[in-house]
Short mmCIF file of all heavy atoms in Angstrom, two decimals:
data_model
loop_
_atom_site.label_atom_id
_atom_site.label_comp_id
_atom_site.label_asym_id
_atom_site.label_seq_id
_atom_site.Cartn_x
_atom_site.Cartn_y
_atom_site.Cartn_z
N ILE T 75 77.68 92.23 114.41
CA ILE T 75 77.59 91.31 115.65
C ILE T 75 77.88 92.19 116.88
O ILE T 75 78.94 92.77 117.01
CB ILE T 75 78.64 90.18 115.51
CG1 ILE T 75 78.30 89.34 114.27
CG2 ILE T 75 78.62 89.40 116.75
CD1 ILE T 75 79.39 88.34 113.95
N PRO T 76 76.87 92.18 117.82
CA PRO T 76 77.13 92.90 119.06
C PRO T 76 78.19 92.28 119.93
O PRO T 76 78.36 91.01 119.95
CB PRO T 76 75.79 92.88 119.77
CG PRO T 76 74.82 92.36 118.70
CD PRO T 76 75.54 91.70 117.71
N LEU T 77 78.90 93.11 120.67
CA LEU T 77 79.95 92.61 121.62
C LEU T 77 79.37 92.29 122.98
O LEU T 77 80.00 91.64 123.76
CB LEU T 77 81.04 93.61 121.68
CG LEU T 77 82.04 93.44 120.61
CD1 LEU T 77 82.57 94.77 120.01
CD2 LEU T 77 83.19 92.64 121.08
N ALA T 78 78.22 92.81 123.28
CA ALA T 78 77.62 92.59 124.59
C ALA T 78 76.06 92.61 124.44
O ALA T 78 75.55 93.13 123.42
CB ALA T 78 78.03 93.60 125.61
N GLN T 79 75.38 92.12 125.39
CA GLN T 79 73.94 92.01 125.43
C GLN T 79 73.47 92.47 126.81
O GLN T 79 73.98 91.97 127.81
CB GLN T 79 73.49 90.61 125.17
CG GLN T 79 72.07 90.36 125.09
CD GLN T 79 71.75 89.06 124.54
OE1 GLN T 79 71.45 88.88 123.40
NE2 GLN T 79 71.82 87.99 125.42
N PHE T 80 72.50 93.41 126.88
CA PHE T 80 71.97 93.86 128.12
C PHE T 80 70.48 93.55 128.14
O PHE T 80 69.71 93.83 127.16
CB PHE T 80 72.11 95.37 128.29
CG PHE T 80 73.58 95.82 128.29
CD1 PHE T 80 73.91 97.03 127.70
CD2 PHE T 80 74.60 95.11 128.85
CE1 PHE T 80 75.24 97.55 127.76
CE2 PHE T 80 75.87 95.47 128.83
CZ PHE T 80 76.22 96.73 128.30
N SER T 81 69.98 92.98 129.25
CA SER T 81 68.62 92.65 129.34
C SER T 81 67.79 93.88 129.80
O SER T 81 68.22 94.65 130.61
CB SER T 81 68.48 91.59 130.49
OG SER T 81 67.17 91.26 130.75
N VAL T 82 66.65 94.01 129.16
CA VAL T 82 65.69 95.10 129.48
C VAL T 82 64.27 94.51 129.62
O VAL T 82 64.03 93.39 129.12
CB VAL T 82 65.70 96.21 128.39
CG1 VAL T 82 67.02 96.90 128.31
CG2 VAL T 82 65.31 95.66 127.02
N ASP T 83 63.46 95.21 130.34
CA ASP T 83 62.03 94.76 130.48
C ASP T 83 61.19 95.04 129.32
O ASP T 83 60.22 94.34 129.03
CB ASP T 83 61.44 95.42 131.77
CG ASP T 83 62.06 94.93 132.99
OD1 ASP T 83 62.56 93.72 133.11
OD2 ASP T 83 62.07 95.70 133.99
N ASP T 84 61.48 96.18 128.59
CA ASP T 84 60.71 96.61 127.51
C ASP T 84 61.61 97.21 126.38
O ASP T 84 62.08 98.34 126.47
CB ASP T 84 59.65 97.65 127.96
CG ASP T 84 58.71 98.11 126.93
OD1 ASP T 84 59.01 98.05 125.66
OD2 ASP T 84 57.65 98.54 127.30
N THR T 85 61.90 96.46 125.35
CA THR T 85 62.85 96.91 124.30
C THR T 85 62.28 98.12 123.65
O THR T 85 63.07 99.03 123.32
CB THR T 85 63.04 95.77 123.33
OG1 THR T 85 63.56 94.61 124.02
CG2 THR T 85 64.11 96.17 122.22
N GLU T 86 61.02 98.12 123.32
CA GLU T 86 60.44 99.32 122.63
C GLU T 86 60.60 100.56 123.44
O GLU T 86 61.02 101.67 122.93
CB GLU T 86 58.93 99.07 122.32
CG GLU T 86 58.66 98.02 121.33
CD GLU T 86 58.82 98.49 119.88
OE1 GLU T 86 58.96 99.68 119.63
OE2 GLU T 86 58.84 97.54 119.00
N ALA T 87 60.35 100.52 124.69
CA ALA T 87 60.39 101.72 125.61
C ALA T 87 61.89 102.11 125.71
O ALA T 87 62.21 103.32 125.69
CB ALA T 87 59.81 101.36 126.98
N GLU T 88 62.83 101.18 125.82
CA GLU T 88 64.26 101.47 125.96
C GLU T 88 64.75 102.10 124.64
O GLU T 88 65.54 102.98 124.67
CB GLU T 88 64.96 100.21 126.37
CG GLU T 88 66.35 100.54 126.96
CD GLU T 88 66.33 101.37 128.27
OE1 GLU T 88 65.32 101.32 128.97
OE2 GLU T 88 67.35 102.03 128.54
N HIS T 89 64.29 101.52 123.59
CA HIS T 89 64.64 102.10 122.29
C HIS T 89 64.21 103.54 122.13
O HIS T 89 64.96 104.45 121.72
CB HIS T 89 64.01 101.23 121.11
CG HIS T 89 64.22 101.75 119.78
ND1 HIS T 89 63.31 102.60 119.13
CD2 HIS T 89 65.22 101.59 118.88
CE1 HIS T 89 63.72 102.89 117.97
NE2 HIS T 89 64.92 102.29 117.75
N ALA T 90 62.96 103.84 122.56
CA ALA T 90 62.48 105.22 122.51
C ALA T 90 63.22 106.11 123.42
O ALA T 90 63.62 107.22 123.04
CB ALA T 90 60.97 105.25 122.88
N ARG T 91 63.56 105.66 124.66
CA ARG T 91 64.31 106.46 125.60
C ARG T 91 65.67 106.75 125.07
O ARG T 91 66.16 107.95 125.05
CB ARG T 91 64.40 105.68 126.98
CG ARG T 91 65.17 106.50 128.02
CD ARG T 91 65.30 105.69 129.31
NE ARG T 91 66.42 104.73 129.24
CZ ARG T 91 67.69 104.98 129.48
NH1 ARG T 91 68.06 106.28 129.74
NH2 ARG T 91 68.58 104.04 129.42
N LEU T 92 66.40 105.76 124.64
CA LEU T 92 67.75 106.00 124.12
C LEU T 92 67.82 106.79 122.81
O LEU T 92 68.68 107.62 122.62
CB LEU T 92 68.47 104.62 123.95
CG LEU T 92 68.72 103.88 125.31
CD1 LEU T 92 69.29 102.48 124.99
CD2 LEU T 92 69.59 104.67 126.25
N THR T 93 66.86 106.53 121.91
CA THR T 93 66.81 107.29 120.68
C THR T 93 66.64 108.82 120.99
O THR T 93 67.19 109.70 120.43
CB THR T 93 65.71 106.84 119.72
OG1 THR T 93 65.92 105.46 119.47
CG2 THR T 93 65.58 107.61 118.45
N GLY T 94 65.82 109.10 122.01
CA GLY T 94 65.56 110.46 122.47
C GLY T 94 66.83 111.07 123.05
O GLY T 94 66.91 112.29 123.08
N LYS T 95 67.79 110.25 123.48
CA LYS T 95 69.05 110.79 123.98
C LYS T 95 70.09 110.71 122.88
O LYS T 95 71.33 111.05 123.21
CB LYS T 95 69.51 109.92 125.15
CG LYS T 95 68.71 110.12 126.40
CD LYS T 95 69.24 109.34 127.56
CE LYS T 95 68.54 109.68 128.83
NZ LYS T 95 69.51 110.05 129.93
N GLY T 96 69.76 110.49 121.64
CA GLY T 96 70.66 110.59 120.53
C GLY T 96 71.40 109.26 120.17
O GLY T 96 72.29 109.30 119.36
N VAL T 97 71.07 108.17 120.91
CA VAL T 97 71.72 106.91 120.58
C VAL T 97 71.24 106.42 119.21
O VAL T 97 70.12 106.49 118.87
CB VAL T 97 71.36 105.85 121.67
CG1 VAL T 97 71.93 104.52 121.33
CG2 VAL T 97 71.87 106.30 123.05
N VAL T 98 72.29 105.95 118.45
CA VAL T 98 71.99 105.45 117.05
C VAL T 98 71.84 103.92 117.16
O VAL T 98 72.75 103.21 117.57
CB VAL T 98 73.16 105.82 116.17
CG1 VAL T 98 72.94 105.24 114.74
CG2 VAL T 98 73.25 107.35 116.05
N PHE T 99 70.72 103.44 116.64
CA PHE T 99 70.42 102.02 116.63
C PHE T 99 70.76 101.47 115.17
O PHE T 99 70.39 102.14 114.15
CB PHE T 99 68.94 101.71 116.93
CG PHE T 99 68.72 101.66 118.42
CD1 PHE T 99 68.64 102.88 119.17
CD2 PHE T 99 68.64 100.52 119.06
CE1 PHE T 99 68.47 102.84 120.53
CE2 PHE T 99 68.43 100.42 120.44
CZ PHE T 99 68.31 101.63 121.19
N THR T 100 71.44 100.40 115.14
CA THR T 100 71.70 99.70 113.79
C THR T 100 70.66 98.68 113.52
O THR T 100 70.56 98.26 112.40
CB THR T 100 73.05 99.07 113.88
OG1 THR T 100 73.14 98.07 114.85
CG2 THR T 100 74.20 100.07 114.08
N GLN T 101 69.87 98.30 114.53
CA GLN T 101 68.74 97.41 114.35
C GLN T 101 67.66 97.84 115.28
O GLN T 101 67.85 97.90 116.52
CB GLN T 101 69.14 95.95 114.70
CG GLN T 101 67.97 95.01 114.59
CD GLN T 101 68.35 93.60 115.03
OE1 GLN T 101 69.47 93.15 114.83
NE2 GLN T 101 67.37 92.89 115.61
N PRO T 102 66.45 98.19 114.74
CA PRO T 102 65.37 98.59 115.61
C PRO T 102 64.79 97.37 116.39
O PRO T 102 65.20 96.26 116.10
CB PRO T 102 64.35 99.12 114.66
CG PRO T 102 64.61 98.40 113.39
CD PRO T 102 66.09 98.20 113.30
N PRO T 103 63.95 97.63 117.35
CA PRO T 103 63.38 96.45 118.03
C PRO T 103 62.75 95.51 117.02
O PRO T 103 62.00 95.81 116.12
CB PRO T 103 62.25 97.09 118.87
CG PRO T 103 62.79 98.48 119.15
CD PRO T 103 63.46 98.86 117.85
N THR T 104 63.20 94.20 117.21
CA THR T 104 62.83 93.14 116.26
C THR T 104 62.40 91.86 117.06
O THR T 104 63.14 91.43 117.90
CB THR T 104 64.06 92.74 115.36
OG1 THR T 104 64.52 94.02 114.74
CG2 THR T 104 63.72 91.73 114.36
N ASP T 105 61.24 91.38 116.73
CA ASP T 105 60.73 90.14 117.40
C ASP T 105 61.46 89.01 116.70
O ASP T 105 61.29 88.77 115.53
CB ASP T 105 59.26 90.11 117.19
CG ASP T 105 58.56 88.96 118.02
OD1 ASP T 105 59.23 87.85 118.15
OD2 ASP T 105 57.43 89.18 118.50
N ILE T 106 62.14 88.20 117.54
CA ILE T 106 62.86 87.04 117.02
C ILE T 106 62.24 85.73 117.53
O ILE T 106 62.84 84.65 117.51
CB ILE T 106 64.34 87.06 117.32
CG1 ILE T 106 64.64 87.09 118.84
CG2 ILE T 106 65.00 88.25 116.66
CD1 ILE T 106 66.02 86.84 119.21
N GLY T 107 61.02 85.80 117.99
CA GLY T 107 60.22 84.60 118.45
C GLY T 107 60.35 84.47 119.95
O GLY T 107 59.29 84.57 120.64
N THR T 108 61.53 84.25 120.50
CA THR T 108 61.67 84.02 121.95
C THR T 108 61.96 85.32 122.67
O THR T 108 61.91 85.32 123.92
CB THR T 108 62.78 83.02 122.26
OG1 THR T 108 64.03 83.50 121.68
CG2 THR T 108 62.48 81.63 121.74
N ALA T 109 62.23 86.37 121.92
CA ALA T 109 62.61 87.64 122.55
C ALA T 109 62.44 88.75 121.55
O ALA T 109 62.19 88.53 120.33
CB ALA T 109 64.10 87.59 122.95
N VAL T 110 62.56 89.98 122.05
CA VAL T 110 62.58 91.20 121.20
C VAL T 110 63.96 91.77 121.44
O VAL T 110 64.39 91.99 122.58
CB VAL T 110 61.43 92.20 121.59
CG1 VAL T 110 61.60 93.40 120.74
CG2 VAL T 110 60.11 91.57 121.45
N VAL T 111 64.69 92.02 120.31
CA VAL T 111 66.02 92.53 120.43
C VAL T 111 66.17 93.86 119.66
O VAL T 111 65.42 94.11 118.68
CB VAL T 111 67.10 91.54 119.91
CG1 VAL T 111 67.06 90.22 120.79
CG2 VAL T 111 66.87 91.17 118.48
N ALA T 112 67.19 94.65 119.98
CA ALA T 112 67.55 95.86 119.22
C ALA T 112 69.04 95.99 119.39
O ALA T 112 69.62 95.50 120.42
CB ALA T 112 66.81 97.04 119.75
N VAL T 113 69.72 96.62 118.47
CA VAL T 113 71.15 96.79 118.56
C VAL T 113 71.47 98.31 118.32
O VAL T 113 70.97 98.94 117.42
CB VAL T 113 71.87 95.99 117.49
CG1 VAL T 113 73.38 96.23 117.55
CG2 VAL T 113 71.54 94.47 117.63
N PHE T 114 72.40 98.80 119.27
CA PHE T 114 72.86 100.19 119.10
C PHE T 114 74.35 100.30 119.13
O PHE T 114 75.10 99.38 119.53
CB PHE T 114 72.23 101.05 120.24
CG PHE T 114 72.63 100.78 121.61
CD1 PHE T 114 73.74 101.34 122.15
CD2 PHE T 114 71.88 99.90 122.37
CE1 PHE T 114 74.14 101.09 123.48
CE2 PHE T 114 72.24 99.64 123.72
CZ PHE T 114 73.42 100.25 124.24
N ASP T 115 74.85 101.41 118.69
CA ASP T 115 76.26 101.80 118.68
C ASP T 115 76.57 102.55 120.02
O ASP T 115 75.87 103.55 120.29
CB ASP T 115 76.57 102.71 117.52
CG ASP T 115 78.00 103.16 117.40
OD1 ASP T 115 78.74 103.14 118.45
OD2 ASP T 115 78.44 103.45 116.29
N ASP T 116 77.50 102.02 120.88
CA ASP T 116 77.74 102.62 122.15
C ASP T 116 78.64 103.81 122.08
O ASP T 116 79.00 104.35 123.11
CB ASP T 116 78.26 101.62 123.12
CG ASP T 116 79.68 101.21 122.92
OD1 ASP T 116 80.32 101.61 121.91
OD2 ASP T 116 80.24 100.51 123.79
N THR T 117 79.05 104.33 120.87
CA THR T 117 79.91 105.44 120.64
C THR T 117 81.29 105.24 121.18
O THR T 117 82.13 106.12 121.10
CB THR T 117 79.34 106.82 121.30
OG1 THR T 117 79.52 106.71 122.76
CG2 THR T 117 77.92 107.08 120.90
N CYS T 118 81.63 104.05 121.60
CA CYS T 118 82.92 103.68 122.24
C CYS T 118 83.60 102.56 121.47
O CYS T 118 84.55 101.98 121.90
CB CYS T 118 82.70 103.26 123.62
SG CYS T 118 81.82 104.42 124.71
N GLY T 119 83.02 102.26 120.30
CA GLY T 119 83.59 101.26 119.44
C GLY T 119 82.92 99.89 119.39
O GLY T 119 83.42 98.99 118.81
N ASN T 120 81.70 99.83 120.05
CA ASN T 120 81.04 98.51 120.08
C ASN T 120 79.57 98.61 119.71
O ASN T 120 78.94 99.64 119.87
CB ASN T 120 81.10 98.09 121.61
CG ASN T 120 82.45 98.07 122.17
OD1 ASN T 120 83.27 97.28 121.77
ND2 ASN T 120 82.68 98.92 123.14
N LEU T 121 79.12 97.50 119.22
CA LEU T 121 77.70 97.34 119.02
C LEU T 121 77.18 96.61 120.28
O LEU T 121 77.78 95.65 120.72
CB LEU T 121 77.34 96.55 117.79
CG LEU T 121 77.67 97.20 116.47
CD1 LEU T 121 77.37 96.23 115.27
CD2 LEU T 121 76.94 98.51 116.30
N ILE T 122 76.00 97.04 120.77
CA ILE T 122 75.43 96.44 122.02
C ILE T 122 73.99 95.97 121.67
O ILE T 122 73.24 96.80 121.05
CB ILE T 122 75.40 97.46 123.19
CG1 ILE T 122 76.79 98.02 123.48
CG2 ILE T 122 74.76 96.80 124.42
CD1 ILE T 122 77.77 96.99 124.01
#
Side-chain angles (χ1 to χ4, degrees):
I75 299 171
L77 276 140
Q79 181 171 261
F80 300 146
S81 175
V82 295
D83 293 330
D84 184 335
T85 304
E86 292 281 349
E88 199 63 25
H89 175 266
R91 182 184 79 82
L92 293 176
T93 300
K95 290 184 170 230
V97 174
V98 175
F99 278 78
T100 61
Q101 177 185 328
T104 304
D105 189 324
I106 61 168
T108 57
V110 178
V111 298
V113 178
F114 66 87
D115 180 334
D116 77 350
T117 73
C118 306
N120 307 296
L121 294 178
I122 305 295

